[in-house]
Amino acid sequence: MGTLTEEIFSYKLGRTVEEGETVVVDVDHVMSHDTTTPLAIQAFRKLAHMNGGRVFNASRSHIVFDHIIPAATIAAATLHRDVRSFAQEQDIGILQEGICHQVMPERGFVTPGSVIVGADSHTCTYGALGAFATGMGSTDIGVAYATGRTWFLIPRTINIRLTGALPSGVYAKDVTLEMVRRVGVDGANYRAIEYSGELVERMSVSERFTFCNMAIEMGGKAGLVAPDATTQAWLEGRTDRSYPMLAPRNPRYERVVEINASSLQPLIACPPDVNNVVPVTEAEHVQIDQVFLGTCTNGRLDDLAIAANILRGKTL
């Protein structure tokens, strides 16, 4: 019995696992993208004696081209060529359908109770579906490609409990910025962050993705939301695999942070750190020359629809 993280690892290992324990566990999926795969390949090659030089499981190994696609330079094109050659050798499909942290869940590779590692810090996004997902360096990912296993120090958990209702003009990202402001950019170092409360229960999977994606901005090892009926409905048609509906049981949290969203207003993070959060009204005097819509935090269709509604009818 314990936090959602402890429940997931206990389920995976078939025994009770507690925070502070070091474990070696089989991973369900391994991911790298176009800029992190080359170093992962180098690490993998050093373990060529394992599995006859093959990845542990081609169907659970994933390479996504999304950071520099299409290739804009000769160097990028050369990188793509080398990664494609490795993928063909290993029978790994290369995904070129969008942001890696959106593609992985939409393809059904993320399910509740799974353990996923990726060579990108925002891999923690997948915890929105009740998985334990975390980013690792390319060398560690290369080892995971070869062995299908990795080690973890089971982290302590911070519970962020969200209540209230979102005022007009306030969205999941605003709530997330308030979390970062409260916790700090390093306030959750190597902690799992578990999001709960009535507001989370009412939120869509897309909004939960936003919460979990930003766990790393507080130093978090992972961000998690316990799976529920909303999770199941989102996964319907995306996967036919069975999965456990794990939930925290009598958890011992290191800290509980309570936020009532009803009192929030639109927020913005200003330089130099993401926890330098102020109301948007305090930054109205700042002239903006360029805006990018489409990040892994808020690049989904519903996010673009919100932006379109704000911009509708407005011209320079």
Side-chain angles (χ1 to χ4, degrees), residues 46-123:
K46 294 178 180 179
L47 299 172
H49 60 284
M50 304 188 69
N51 301 325
R54 308 294 297 176
V55 294
F56 80 106
N57 187 314
S59 65
R60 292 195 280 139
S61 303
H62 313 284
I63 298 174
V64 185
F65 279 8
D66 72 341
H67 278 56
I68 45 174
I69 184 73
T73 64
I74 293 175
T78 302
L79 178 152
H80 282 183
R81 180 199 63 193
D82 294 344
V83 173
R84 288 184 191 280
S85 177
F86 173 78
Q88 184 176 20
E89 166 199 312
Q90 298 292 330
D91 297 319
I92 299 174
I94 291 180
L95 305 173
Q96 296 179 198
E97 303 160 18
I99 298 169
C100 56
H101 304 312
Q102 191 63 32
V103 172
M104 288 287 288
E106 285 190 348
R107 279 294 200 102
F109 300 139
V110 181
T111 53
S114 56
V115 175
I116 303 170
V117 294
D120 186 281
S121 63
H122 289 103
T123 299

Side-chain angles (χ1 to χ4, degrees), residues 194-314:
E194 195 174 295
Y195 305 95
S196 66
E198 60 185 42
L199 181 60
V200 178
E201 293 169 3
R202 293 196 303 269
M203 282 188 157
S204 67
V205 168
S206 178
E207 291 170 307
R208 297 174 186 185
F209 279 146
T210 297
F211 288 165
C212 293
N213 177 279
M214 292 283 285
I216 186 61
E217 309 304 334
M218 295 175 273
K221 182 70 173 174
L224 305 97
V225 176
D228 57 11
T230 300
T231 312
Q232 292 176 303
W234 195 88
L235 286 170
E236 189 173 348
R238 289 187 166 94
T239 182
D240 56 4
R241 289 184 296 162
S242 59
Y243 49 80
M245 296 292 286
L246 300 175
R249 296 189 299 163
N250 299 321
R252 292 178 299 171
Y253 296 121
E254 179 183 63
R255 177 184 176 193
V256 177
V257 179
E258 297 194 13
I259 298 175
N260 187 330
S262 299
S263 60
L264 295 182
Q265 53 186 306
L267 301 173
I268 187 169
C270 302
D273 294 312
V274 71
N275 67 333
N276 184 21
V277 175
V278 299
V280 170
T281 52
E282 293 185 17
E284 287 181 326
H285 64 285
V286 178
Q287 180 177 332
I288 298 175
D289 298 306
Q290 192 173 79
V291 175
F292 172 76
L293 298 175
T295 68
C296 64
T297 307
N298 288 105
R300 289 170 290 281
L301 188 59
D302 52 324
D303 299 307
L304 300 180
I306 291 169
N309 286 330
I310 293 172
L311 295 173
R312 182 173 285 112
K314 296 180 175 65

